[in-house]
Amino acid sequence: MASFLHSWCLSFLLMTWIATIIGRSAGAYAPVGYRPSPWTLAHATFYGDESASSTMGGACGYGNIVTNGYGTDTAALSSTLFKNGYACGTCYQIKCVQSPWCFRASPFTTVTATNLCPPNWSQDSNNGGWCNPPRTHFDMAKPAFMKIAQWKAGIVPVMYRRVPCVRKGGLRFSFQGNGYWLLVYVMNVGGAGDVAGMWVKGSKTGWISMSHNWGASYQAFATLAGQSLSFRVTSYTTKQTLLAYNVAPADWNVGLTYQANVNFR
């Protein structure tokens, strides 16, 4: 009886130890979602009119930001925040502060970075050159600006923080180029919202590294026509990597957008 109890105790301890190791390993490799950053002081202006038509296109290459899911709650970032396009798709909560033009109770709005606000070296940084480095500045679409302050203000001090991007559905890949040069715009990115690197895999190839072109676009110089395509995407902020298999069918074509069934959180 004592021998049986001894064997049972050893077996129980062994199973407990294995379960603990498995649990720790699973936790170590579980993807971590992006969490909000602390609030920081900056300034905000707006560009365009209430239709936000002048915000279409932009330095991130999202094209029609309304039909592509970003709406009119968008902003152009000063180059200090834009990070050569690696900030494309990032999301921010912004609230007006310390100004008589702020709406009462300091409501905040959430915007997506879709454009660059370039420096204006002919103007002083505190008088017109609002996006000159090293200033952190948001040039918001007018509909977004009007949610936090009266538009007549022109410029207001704001508090901002990075927040997770909440997106419906999977990553979207918009194709340009040809069968020998594939240019892909990555859209609808959840979680931290940004992309640091991409790889493409044809049904007849291994993983091919894609180079950063500009904004939210990545390119591969490879013969990929007639192959179904998969993508590997890494977040700039969290370093999390997602595998999106068989995103585009073998008869894919440029000018079309294909959606994966995975996304960051």
Side-chain angles (χ1 to χ4, degrees), residues 89-265:
T90 52
C91 299
Y92 303 84
Q93 285 181 344
I94 301 178
K95 59 183 177 181
C96 178
V97 296
Q98 303 172 357
S99 170
W101 298 103
C102 298
F103 290 136
R104 289 184 179 181
S106 297
F108 63 81
T109 189
T110 302
V111 298
T112 301
T114 60
N115 205 351
L116 167 69
C117 181
N120 181 2
W121 299 115
S122 65
Q123 301 290 332
D124 184 85
S125 296
N126 296 311
N127 187 23
W130 311 119
C131 291
N132 295 348
R135 290 179 64 105
T136 54
H137 189 85
F138 295 86
D139 199 17
M140 303 170 67
K142 191 174 182 180
F145 185 91
M146 291 172 64
K147 291 182 178 180
I148 61 170
Q150 298 181 49
W151 67 269
K152 292 182 180 180
I155 180 172
V156 293
V158 297
M159 296 293 289
Y160 78 94
R161 66 174 180 171
R162 280 274 305 273
V163 293
C165 297
V166 180
R167 304 297 182 205
K168 294 181 179 180
L171 299 171
R172 295 178 191 161
F173 302 86
S174 181
F175 287 12
Q176 298 296 329
N178 51 53
Y180 310 97
W181 169 62
L182 181 64
L183 180 67
V184 180
Y185 293 87
V186 193
M187 300 183 290
N188 200 51
V189 182
D194 49 23
V195 174
M198 275 183 56
W199 294 258
V200 61
K201 183 183 183 304
S203 52
K204 301 176 183 177
T205 74
W207 287 104
I208 300 169
S209 178
M210 304 181 74
S211 59
H212 185 218
N213 186 289
W214 63 283
S217 67
Y218 288 79
Q219 62 188 358
F221 295 91
T223 304
L224 295 168
Q227 301 179 58
S228 59
L229 302 182
S230 301
F231 293 94
R232 188 167 73 197
V233 183
T234 298
S235 166
Y236 184 86
T237 300
T238 67
K239 312 307 179 188
Q240 181 187 358
T241 296
L242 286 183
L243 295 174
Y245 288 107
N246 299 317
V247 172
D251 60 349
W252 61 266
N253 212 332
V254 297
L256 297 180
T257 298
Y258 301 91
Q259 184 160 331
N261 57 7
V262 294
N263 208 334
F264 296 102
R265 63 179 180 84

Side-chain angles (χ1 to χ4, degrees), residues 35-110:
R35 297 187 179 123
S37 69
W39 289 96
T40 307
L41 183 64
H43 285 79
T45 49
F46 68 88
Y47 68 115
D49 56 21
E50 286 84 345
S51 70
S53 58
S54 61
T55 66
M56 301 298 170
C60 290
Y62 292 140
N64 188 316
I65 57 175
V66 174
T67 59
N68 283 325
Y70 295 105
T72 58
D73 289 332
T74 63
L77 307 184
S78 60
S79 55
T80 301
L81 291 170
F82 193 67
K83 300 177 182 177
N84 293 320
Y86 287 108
C88 286
T90 52
C91 299
Y92 303 84
Q93 285 181 344
I94 301 178
K95 59 183 177 181
C96 178
V97 296
Q98 303 172 357
S99 170
W101 298 103
C102 298
F103 290 136
R104 289 184 179 181
S106 297
F108 63 81
T109 189
T110 302

